[in-house]
Amino acid sequence: MRLFSHAKVNLFLKITGRRPDGFHNLETLFASISVKESLELKEIPQGIEILCNDPSVPTDSRNLIWKAAEALADAAGIKKGIRIRLEKQVPPGSGLGAGSSNAAAALIGLNQLWDAGLSKEELRNIAAGIGSDVPFFLEGGLCVATGRGEILSPVSGVPDLWMVLVRPDVSVSTPWAYKTFDSLTSIPKKGSLSDLTNVLDQSPEIIAAHLVNDLEEAVLPAYAEIRQARDDLLQAGAFGALMSGSGSSVFGIVRDQAHAEQIAVSLKNRYPWVHTARISQGAVEIE
Ligand code: C5P
């Protein structure tokens, strides 16, 4: 069985409070994007084996695919094994949720391949136990998320929005980004989520004027490379640019595919990882 798992960006991310469990309550707008990775699943008699083309990705129990396979097998009382060949496109620590999306794809794929029979609700619960943004990848498209990021409400009418993604050669630790945010004494006032969701059917220029990510306040002062990437996207002609999640990737909203390709070409020799992308309808595809 072969699946594709799509990455995401956060078009909006506001931190609304700290929680007793150590996490933060969020108000975010997730969008799955066309950048995708491939997973090949093959049943084996027992155990979990992960093979990956990127040597910087752990292939043991630290990998979210491993956690997904283990949690699904436990929940459904499955005794079978699995070998997963993972073809990465997105470096770890990019803020594009690629590892979480791999986990969601593994849940959907293994539920079918192992004939585990878990309901969507059961898969959602397992997903939330693996990571805050894993439940989003079971849905994909455009979703408002609250709570830790696991309470989802899909937004209908996914716009055909193009972007350029740039990843400077740094990785940001997500726990560090949230901790640093907590130590800030003041956060500049920004627009609300409804300001953005109300204009999603309008032009890319208008959408781009309403992007928000509170975590930029914590991350950009410590990572000049990420601020520079945002400035470079704007300089190259993007209508608006924002760090995704806790970084280190930055996306710039552009007019259309041709505009995206033109900007990507102009940035390719300055950054190790530059991609064009559009919002995708779903996050997991079974081939
Ligand atoms: O859930 P996930 O494993 O993606 O979270 C990684 C880390 O990011 C958490 O350990 C926590 O420090 C931080 N986080 C948070 N609030 C969220 C999501 C993540 O504080 N809503």
Side-chain angles (χ1 to χ4, degrees), residues 14-19 23-27 146-149:
K14 235 178 206 184
I15 297 174
T16 54
R18 282 173 83 175
R19 301 158 47 116
F23 285 82
H24 294 73
N25 281 322
L26 307 177
E27 201 178 27
T146 54
R148 280 197 290 132

Side-chain angles (χ1 to χ4, degrees), residues 8-10 94-96 213 242-251:
K8 60 86 179 158
V9 293
N10 302 79
S94 297
L96 301 175
N213 184 352
L242 192 76
M243 187 177 79
S244 182
S246 58
S248 60
S249 294
V250 179
F251 62 95

Side-chain angles (χ1 to χ4, degrees), residues 30-45:
F30 284 121
S32 57
I33 57 172
S34 50
V35 174
K36 61 185 180 182
E37 301 182 331
S38 124
L39 292 86
E40 255 179 60
L41 274 51
K42 193 174 182 334
E43 206 177 310
I44 54 173

Side-chain angles (χ1 to χ4, degrees), residues 176-255:
W176 172 86
Y178 279 97
K179 226 178 323 127
T180 306
F181 180 85
D182 290 338
S183 68
L184 300 176
T185 46
S186 78
I187 324 289
K189 211 167 150 40
K190 298 177 199 122
S192 69
L193 179 55
S194 59
D195 292 342
L196 174 58
T197 53
N198 285 338
V199 299
L200 286 172
D201 58 351
Q202 298 189 30
S203 69
E205 280 106 318
I206 294 176
I207 293 174
H210 294 89
L211 306 172
V212 169
N213 184 352
D214 272 351
L215 288 171
E216 283 192 341
E217 307 304 327
V219 176
L220 296 191
Y223 289 92
E225 307 90 325
I226 302 178
R227 194 191 292 279
Q228 185 65 49
R230 201 184 61 169
D231 292 348
D232 286 347
L233 275 164
L234 294 172
Q235 187 73 36
F239 300 137
L242 192 76
M243 187 177 79
S244 182
S246 58
S248 60
S249 294
V250 179
F251 62 95
I253 299 293
V254 298
R255 186 182 311 112

